[in-house]
Amino acid sequence: AAIASDDFAALSAMEEDFRSSRARTPSGTWKLAAYHAALQADLAEGIGPSFGCTYKKADFVKRWAAAEPRNPAPFITDAAMLLQQAWCIRGPGMADEVAPDAWPRFRAGIDAAFTLLQKHRGMASVDPEYYTVLVYMLGSQGGEKGLMRNLLDEATAREPDYHRTYFKAVWFHMPQWGGSYAEVEQFARYAAERSRRVEGDGMYARV
């Protein structure tokens, strides 16, 4: 409803409330995570092959950022949409199945997302979703495992209990993206150890 009515203040207030309260749903997941997932799903309208991978809601996000320049959500959402658009252009197949002319556009989208995140790092990184999108960006670049672990150490030092960061990171430890089942197991244990104070062993099961 807030998106439909261009209620940027309400959207920003929700992010601030869910982030500061660290509120959870009955299943134990963060309301902040549900908020970001819903935002990114709604604003991804048009980012699909049948629509030419068009970021139709870009103007909405830009207007939100202009209206609420001190809120992290519009900048994080914009970067997430640029990444989703880049992956739409690339397609879901293995690397040898990607059209040669798609690679430059794919990389340009990733670079645009990274530039946006870096530009607003000081303000936007207070929201743990910032790191979720940054992990997705680094994985999309085929970043070295050491760089990924350094980023995860930083992210989880700031917020060890935010599920979405682990959920995004584990993808890039899977066999189809150059990892292995052993790496998935190792990562699940890492996630449990980083979040143990609040989650116990729960993050292992979630991952």
Side-chain angles (χ1 to χ4, degrees), residues 12-23 30-33 35-36 70-73 76 123-130 158-159 162:
S12 296
M14 278 186 262
E15 185 274 341
E16 291 168 7
D17 177 29
F18 297 148
R19 170 168 49 87
S20 61
S21 68
R22 298 164 60 87
W30 287 49
K31 291 185 178 181
L32 182 66
Y35 167 85
H36 280 296
R70 296 184 179 180
N71 187 269
I76 293 170
M123 177 270 292
S125 61
V126 299
D127 186 321
E129 183 72 12
Y130 174 90
R158 295 192 65 171
E159 180 45 73
Y162 190 65

Side-chain angles (χ1 to χ4, degrees), residues 2-9 11-12 43 55-69 74-75 78:
I3 292 172
S5 61
D6 283 6
D7 193 344
F8 303 128
L11 287 170
S12 296
L43 297 177
Y55 181 8
K56 291 185 176 182
K57 297 293 184 76
D59 179 66
F60 174 90
V61 179
K62 295 293 189 294
R63 288 187 291 112
W64 181 12
E68 299 284 334
F75 304 101
D78 198 15

Side-chain angles (χ1 to χ4, degrees), residues 112-123:
F114 179 70
T115 298
L116 182 64
L117 291 172
Q118 287 298 95
K119 179 179 179 180
H120 299 284
R121 181 184 183 90
M123 177 270 292

Side-chain angles (χ1 to χ4, degrees), residues 166 187-197 200-201 203-204:
Y166 298 108
F187 176 75
R189 292 180 181 275
Y190 167 88
E193 187 58 37
R194 299 294 284 186
S195 59
R196 188 174 306 283
R197 186 182 65 83
D201 288 327
M203 199 69 79
Y204 178 91

